[in-house]
């Protein structure tokens, strides 16, 4: 057995060479340079910045144009507006600054994230992020389509148009972070790739609001993930890896907490395992714990590198993935026997 320290953790993601497959996903961990540096020091292979949200920029731009219009109608007062406008630092400016500062502070690749809900304006921001030095872009397509007139096909077309526009506007590699709720995931994933995406990030976590029964208020509180949530990306990466081929990058996100979780997602064909909740819970030092667990598992199982493990277990072993899934479904349901070890509550 090779020693854990000699295991080669290098991987390639979106054409970028990473020293480790453990990546910090988009979120509060990377919203300041100190946080990014702490993660890089702890050993992540790359960082994804929090998303730049279209709504925030639009709200600011609307606010600014109201101010300017009001100013032009009342000329004397308008003079007062100009200094404020000159000093105006928009969300987008602050984001570009964060990107530039983070790039200066760390030596690992930095991925910028855009949360887009409409086409046009995003192309502008994608270009600005590319100019500011992003190594890649992650397009965070997060929406809850509540309009009863909007069909699934229309939702997919709109999302694909957005991916096409952004990919055509920059030469940077673009990864698309998808929700798990597309009804024909395999087909949609292939179309996202055909639209120009170099990688998929699977999956975004939707934050489900709760109700406070005393006040009858809607409670919007972020809950951190649990390890069992890994099952969804695990299944889909196993299905998609053989379908998309090795030229397309796959990142697993949702439920990666331990070294074993990283082993699992790599084994089914991920190029990287992304983490946020576990690091928020335990601090940046958790990255080195997970790395040690990964190294130890690989060494104990006679793997000398991450490359050797990657994709070793996937749906490639089954010629018909749907039949395999259906057979598994039946087997799982039939495995439930009163009184046996399956009768334990699920993980919370
Ligand atoms: C507080 C918080 C903020 C987040 N912000 C973003 C974001 O700005 N953009 C994004 O694409 N994902 C965001 N995420 C989602 C994470 O990147 C990640 O996909 C999700 O938390 C699942 O991974 P985990 O199980 O490792 O937490 C956020 C998650 C949390 C907990």
């Amino acid at each position: 057995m090779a020693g854990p320290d000699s295991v080669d953790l290098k991987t390639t993601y979106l054409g970028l060479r990473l020293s480790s497959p453990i990546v910090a996903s988009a979120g509060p961990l990377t919203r300041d340079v100190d946080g990014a540096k702490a993660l890089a020091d702890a050993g992540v292979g790359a960082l994804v910045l929090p998303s730049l949200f279209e709504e925030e920029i639009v709200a600011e731009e609307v606010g600014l144009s109201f101010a300017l219009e009001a100013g032009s109608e009342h000329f004397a007062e308008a003079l007062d507006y100009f200094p404020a406008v000159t000093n105006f630092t928009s969300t987008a400016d602050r984001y570009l600054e964060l990107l530039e500062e983070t790039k200066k502070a760390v030596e690992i690749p930095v991925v910028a994230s855009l949360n887009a809900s409409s086409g046009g304006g995003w192309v502008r921001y994608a270009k600005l992020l590319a100019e500011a030095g992003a190594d890649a872009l992650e397009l965070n397509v997060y929406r809850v389509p509540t309009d009863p007139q909007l069909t699934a096909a229309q939702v997919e077309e709109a999302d694909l148009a957005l991916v096409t526009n952004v990919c055509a506007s920059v030469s940077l590699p673009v990864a698309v972070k998808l929700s798990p709720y597309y009804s024909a995931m395999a087909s949609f994933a292939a179309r996202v790739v055909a639209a120009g995406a170099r990688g998929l990030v699977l999956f975004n976590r939707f934050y489900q609001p709760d109700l406070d029964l005393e006040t009858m208020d809607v409670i919007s509180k972020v809950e951190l993930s649990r390890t069992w949530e890994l099952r969804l990306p695990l299944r889909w990466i196993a299905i998609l890896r053989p379908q998309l081929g090795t030229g397309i990058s796959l990142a697993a996100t949702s439920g990666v907490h331990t070294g074993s979780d990283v082993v699992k997602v790599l084994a089914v064909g991920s190029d990287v395992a992304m983490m946020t909740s576990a690091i928020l819970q335990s601090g940046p030092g958790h990255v080195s714990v997970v790395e040690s667990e990964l190294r130890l598992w690989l060494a104990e199982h006679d793997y000398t590198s991450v490359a050797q493990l990657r994709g070793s277990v996937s749906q490639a072993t089954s010629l018909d993935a749907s039949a395999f899934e259906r057979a598994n479904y039946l087997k799982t349901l039939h495995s439930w026997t009163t009184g046996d070890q399956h009768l334990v509550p699920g993980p919370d």
Side-chain angles (χ1 to χ4, degrees), residues 25-28 51 53 140 177 205 207 222 225 253-255 275-277:
S25 57
S51 300
F53 281 88
N140 169 14
K177 188 169 185 178
R205 263 180 100 229
Y207 299 99
V222 173
S225 71
T253 175
S254 283
M275 286 202 294
T276 286
S277 292

Side-chain angles (χ1 to χ4, degrees), residues 205-211 218-224:
R205 263 180 100 229
F206 276 47
Y207 299 99
Q208 321 285 8
D210 199 0
L211 263 192
V218 175
I219 309 170
S220 305
K221 198 174 96 199
V222 173
E223 304 231 4
L224 299 180

